[in-house]
Amino acid sequence: DALRRDTLADAPDIQVVGEAVSGEDAVTMIGEFIPDIVLLDLIMPGMDGVETTRRIKTISPRTQVVVLTSYHEDVHIFPALKAGAISYILKDMKMDKLVEALRRAAQKEVTLHPLVAARVLQNIRSESGEDQPLFTELTERELEVLRLIANGMTNSQIAGKLVISENTVKGHVSNILSKLHLADRTQVAVYAWQRRANRNGALA
C-alpha cells in the first residue's frame, strides 16, 4: 500500500524500482529490472503468489522473494517456501521490522513471523522422526554455528562473535544443510529451535 511504498522509498539503502498490480506484471518486471528483492502478496489478481514466486526464481534466481501476507495457514506457508520465498512475514509487522527483513533478505538471510516459524518447526518435527541421530556428523564449530542460528543471530553477527569471516560462516551453514539433509537456512533455524526445545538442552 501507499504507506509501505513511501516508507521503503524513504529508506536510504532501498530503491523502489517498480510496482506490479498482478502476478503476471510482477514476472514481466522481474525480467526487466532483475531486482535484489521482491516484496510479494500471496493474493493478487491473476496468477497467485506461489506461482509468481516460482516464476520469479526461474527468471532471476538471485532475486530474493519476501512474502508479505495476512495468511499463516499451512496451505499458504509451505507452498510459498517451497516455491523459493526466502522470508514469510505477516502484514501486522511494524514498518521498521519490515525494512529490516528486506535488508536481511538482501544478505540471503531468512525472516519468519513467529506464527509461521512455529508451523515450519512442527512440520520438520513430524517429518524428521524423534529417533534420528542429532548432530553426530557435525563438527564442534558447526555445532557452535547451529547454536547461534537457533538464537536468531544473523551471519554477520555470528561472524563477529566467532571472529571469522561471513564467507566462513556461510560455508559452515552449507555444511550443516548438507549433513542434516535440510534445504535452506530457514529449515536449519527451525530445526535448531526444535532440538533446543525438545532435547533437554542439546543446544544450550
Side-chain angles (χ1 to χ4, degrees):
D1 58 23
L3 175 60
R4 291 192 180 94
R5 180 184 65 244
D6 292 344
T7 301
L8 294 178
D10 288 341
D13 55 343
I14 294 178
Q15 179 183 5
V16 178
V17 297
E19 294 180 77
V21 297
S22 68
E24 289 85 354
D25 285 347
V27 169
T28 298
M29 293 179 70
I30 293 302
E32 180 179 354
F33 293 109
I34 312 295
D36 296 321
I37 305 166
V38 172
L39 184 61
L40 185 69
D41 199 329
L42 284 184
I43 308 301
M44 299 180 292
M47 183 168 31
D48 67 25
V50 172
E51 180 60 25
T52 301
T53 298
R54 187 176 295 112
R55 295 196 188 186
I56 287 172
K57 296 301 290 185
T58 298
I59 294 170
S60 178
R62 67 179 293 276
T63 298
Q64 303 299 333
V65 177
V66 175
V67 168
L68 178 67
T69 184
S70 301
Y71 300 94
H72 55 81
E73 295 83 3
D74 291 6
V75 68
H76 297 291
I77 296 170
F78 297 108
L81 294 177
K82 289 177 181 178
I86 192 172
S87 297
Y88 195 111
I89 54 184
L90 301 185
K91 289 183 177 179
D92 62 1
M93 175 175 278
K94 294 181 179 179
M95 282 305 307
D96 61 331
K97 297 296 184 182
L98 173 59
V99 172
E100 181 59 28
L102 297 180
R103 289 175 176 143
R104 293 185 68 175
Q107 299 299 316
K108 299 183 180 179
E109 298 202 19
V110 171
T111 301
L112 293 179
H113 189 283
L115 289 174
V116 175
R119 295 302 306 140
V120 176
L121 185 156
Q122 185 173 342
N123 183 65
I124 290 177
R125 287 178 60 187
S126 65
E127 291 182 355
S128 63
E130 290 299 315
D131 296 325
Q132 290 184 356
L134 296 182
F135 307 112
T136 54
E137 295 184 358
L138 300 186
T139 66
E140 286 300 318
R141 179 46 63 91
E142 287 165 357
L143 279 170
E144 195 169 13
V145 170
L146 186 58
R147 292 186 189 102
L148 298 178
I149 291 174
N151 288 332
M153 296 183 69
T154 66
N155 284 356
S156 60
Q157 291 169 334
I158 293 172
K161 184 173 181 62
L162 300 182
V163 195
I164 57 179
S165 71
E166 285 193 54
N167 283 338
T168 300
V169 174
K170 291 177 182 178
H172 288 312
V173 173
S174 294
N175 288 338
I176 293 168
L177 292 170
S178 176
K179 291 179 180 181
L180 297 183
H181 307 290
L182 300 177
D184 56 31
R185 198 183 193 279
T186 310
Q187 290 191 338
V188 169
V190 294
Y191 188 92
W193 296 335
Q194 171 208 341
R195 294 311 183 184
R196 183 175 59 177
N198 294 284
R199 285 294 180 172
N200 298 320
L203 287 172

